[in-house]
Amino acid sequence: GYILRNLEVRGLIERASNKLDLRSYVYKPTLSLLSYLGVSSVKELPEFESIKKTLEEKLSVNVSDEN
């Protein structure tokens, strides 16, 4: 909680509603964070596709388990 709050206060991430679970939030990088990391898009981050696929698989399993 503290680290996320600190990143949010500094404008490096932003909180958004989770479309899969309206009781929770997801955190997204801001352009300021991407600029600080030296990239212009999240897709330019290392191993983006494999991490994205793993997260989607885990999220879909968790959502399926709750239903």
Side-chain angles (χ1 to χ4, degrees), residues 24-39:
S24 64
Y25 298 99
V26 293
Y27 293 88
K28 300 178 180 183
T30 63
L31 291 176
S32 297
L33 176 61
L34 296 176
S35 174
Y36 179 77
L37 295 173
V39 297

Side-chain angles (χ1 to χ4, degrees), residues 4-17:
L4 289 174
R5 177 73 178 134
N6 198 354
L7 291 170
E8 190 175 12
V9 166
R10 293 172 189 250
L12 299 175
I13 61 171
E14 59 187 8
R15 185 171 72 170
S17 296

Side-chain angles (χ1 to χ4, degrees), residues 33-67:
L33 176 61
L34 296 176
S35 174
Y36 179 77
L37 295 173
V39 297
S40 59
S41 168
V42 174
K43 294 182 180 186
E44 292 178 27
L45 294 172
E47 301 179 26
F48 173 77
E49 291 302 323
S50 66
I51 292 170
K52 180 181 174 188
K53 182 179 177 183
T54 302
L55 287 174
E56 288 173 347
E57 289 171 358
K58 298 238 183 243
L59 286 174
S60 66
V61 168
N62 289 339
V63 170
S64 299
D65 290 346
E66 291 178 4
N67 294 331

